[in-house]
């Protein structure tokens, strides 16, 4: 799968794309990632990419020319793709959206900075718009990294067998996982629940599904109390 990123801060992606599962996916040819610096598409001497909003107001907006030139260059060089703008006003990114994206051949993630985008960027690119959650980040970069990570994990061959098995247990709307323990069996006076060390697989399965149910209920209650569904 190809994933290209249009950003003012390509350097932010180096470590994330080079490490762990994403680094390995690139090494295996499962992920072909490209970074494009929006500033390279500015046509003026000072390489400006932003300007003040007409009608006044705080902050600066991304100008349409460099952003659109950057995305059009990506599509010309790397082929047709699904263009996504990362913005707090977009539809919410969920595991279901990650699964939808994992079926695609080419994603183009456009990261905003400053106070937002000139409205003509949306009119011309007609992008999908995504938010990773109801809070405001300083830019789309960290959101784009979250999207890349969640999508690439779903590509065949990206995970090892153990990691894949662990992923099976998470789909949105389903129960959370039961808590888990590893060695030592007792630490700071805290012991591993007896059911888990019993060796009785049916009992272990029952214990885990009951704990998962309790945990899910208590999380849903906490989310509802916070009023931010
Ligand atoms: N840019 C700023 N905040 C964001 C968010 N929550 N999701 C996606 N992009 C963003």
């Amino acid at each position: 799968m190809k994933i290209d990123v249009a950003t003012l801060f390509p350097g932010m992606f180096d470590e994330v794309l080079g490490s762990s599962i994403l680094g390995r996916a690139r090494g295996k040819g499962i992920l072909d990632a490209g970074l494009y610096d929006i500033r390279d598409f500015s046509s003026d001497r000072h390489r400006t990419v932003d300007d003040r909003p007409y009608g006044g107001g705080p902050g600066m907006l991304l100008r349409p020319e460099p952003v659109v030139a950057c995305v059009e260059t990506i599509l010309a060089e790397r082929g047709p793709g699904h263009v996504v703008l990362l913005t707090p006003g977009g539809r919410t990114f969920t595991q279901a959206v990650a699964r939808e994206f994992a079926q695609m051949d080419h994603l183009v993630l456009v990261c905003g900075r400053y106070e937002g985008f000139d409205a003509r960027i949306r009119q011309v690119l007609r992008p999908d718009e995504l938010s990773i959650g109801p809070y405001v980040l300083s830019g789309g970069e960290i959101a784009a990294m979250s999207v890349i990570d969640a999508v690439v994990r779903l590509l065949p061959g990206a995970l090892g067998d153990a990691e894949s098995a662990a992923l099976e247990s998470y789909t949105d709307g389903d129960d959370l996982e039961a808590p888990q323990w590893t060695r030592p069996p007792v630490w700071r006076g805290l012991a591993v629940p007896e059911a888990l060390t019993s060796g009785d697989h049916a009992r272990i399965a029952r214990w885990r599904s009951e704990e998962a149910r309790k945990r899910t209920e208590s999380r849903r209650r906490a989310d509802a109390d916070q009023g931010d569904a």
Side-chain angles (χ1 to χ4, degrees), residues 89-129:
R91 66 183 174 125
T92 303
F93 184 64
T94 60
Q95 191 67 19
V97 178
R99 280 193 293 270
E100 179 195 317
F101 284 3
Q103 303 299 316
M104 296 176 177
D105 296 325
H106 185 198
L107 273 183
V108 180
L109 305 178
V110 184
C111 303
R113 279 267 148 180
Y114 309 107
E115 313 315 305
F117 300 90
D118 180 287
R120 289 166 293 189
I121 293 171
R122 293 187 171 86
Q123 288 178 292
V124 170
L125 296 178
R126 297 263 162 228
D128 193 357
E129 298 188 38

Side-chain angles (χ1 to χ4, degrees), residues 32-186:
D32 172 4
L35 292 170
Y36 290 76
D37 189 340
I38 295 169
R39 206 172 286 284
D40 291 341
F41 297 87
S42 168
S43 51
D44 70 275
R45 236 162 20 91
H46 304 289
R47 302 195 358 120
T48 56
V49 289
D50 60 326
D51 214 327
R52 289 164 307 178
Y54 279 109
M60 302 285 270
L61 300 181
L62 282 174
R63 291 167 58 110
E65 316 93 305
V67 175
V68 170
C70 182
V71 172
E72 287 177 346
T73 300
I74 293 171
L75 296 173
E77 282 182 9
R78 302 264 284 167
H82 183 68
V83 178
V84 179
L85 217 60
L86 283 315
T87 158
R91 66 183 174 125
T92 303
F93 184 64
T94 60
Q95 191 67 19
V97 178
R99 280 193 293 270
E100 179 195 317
F101 284 3
Q103 303 299 316
M104 296 176 177
D105 296 325
H106 185 198
L107 273 183
V108 180
L109 305 178
V110 184
C111 303
R113 279 267 148 180
Y114 309 107
E115 313 315 305
F117 300 90
D118 180 287
R120 289 166 293 189
I121 293 171
R122 293 187 171 86
Q123 288 178 292
V124 170
L125 296 178
R126 297 263 162 228
D128 193 357
E129 298 188 38
L130 279 190
S131 163
I132 62 161
Y135 40 77
V136 180
L137 302 167
S138 306
E141 284 77 11
I142 291 173
M145 290 177 205
S146 303
V147 171
I148 296 169
D149 190 90
V151 170
V152 173
R153 301 172 51 75
L154 300 178
L155 300 177
L159 299 184
D161 291 342
E163 293 158 341
S164 299
L167 177 73
E168 308 270 293
S169 64
Y170 189 86
T171 34
D172 346 90
D174 286 1
D175 279 356
L176 302 172
E177 277 193 80
Q180 302 197 86
W181 284 257
T182 183
R183 291 189 293 176
V186 183

Side-chain angles (χ1 to χ4, degrees), residues 220-229:
R220 302 247 155 94
R221 219 174 301 119
D223 283 349
D225 288 348
Q226 212 176 270
D228 70 351

Side-chain angles (χ1 to χ4, degrees), residues 1-60:
M1 173 179 199
K2 283 180 286 192
I3 303 183
D4 291 312
V5 182
T7 169
L8 290 168
F9 300 94
M12 286 179 71
F13 289 83
D14 292 342
E15 198 70 29
V16 169
L17 289 175
S19 312
S20 185
I21 288 164
L22 294 181
R24 199 174 63 202
R26 289 173 78 198
K28 286 184 174 178
I30 293 166
L31 169 64
D32 172 4
L35 292 170
Y36 290 76
D37 189 340
I38 295 169
R39 206 172 286 284
D40 291 341
F41 297 87
S42 168
S43 51
D44 70 275
R45 236 162 20 91
H46 304 289
R47 302 195 358 120
T48 56
V49 289
D50 60 326
D51 214 327
R52 289 164 307 178
Y54 279 109
M60 302 285 270

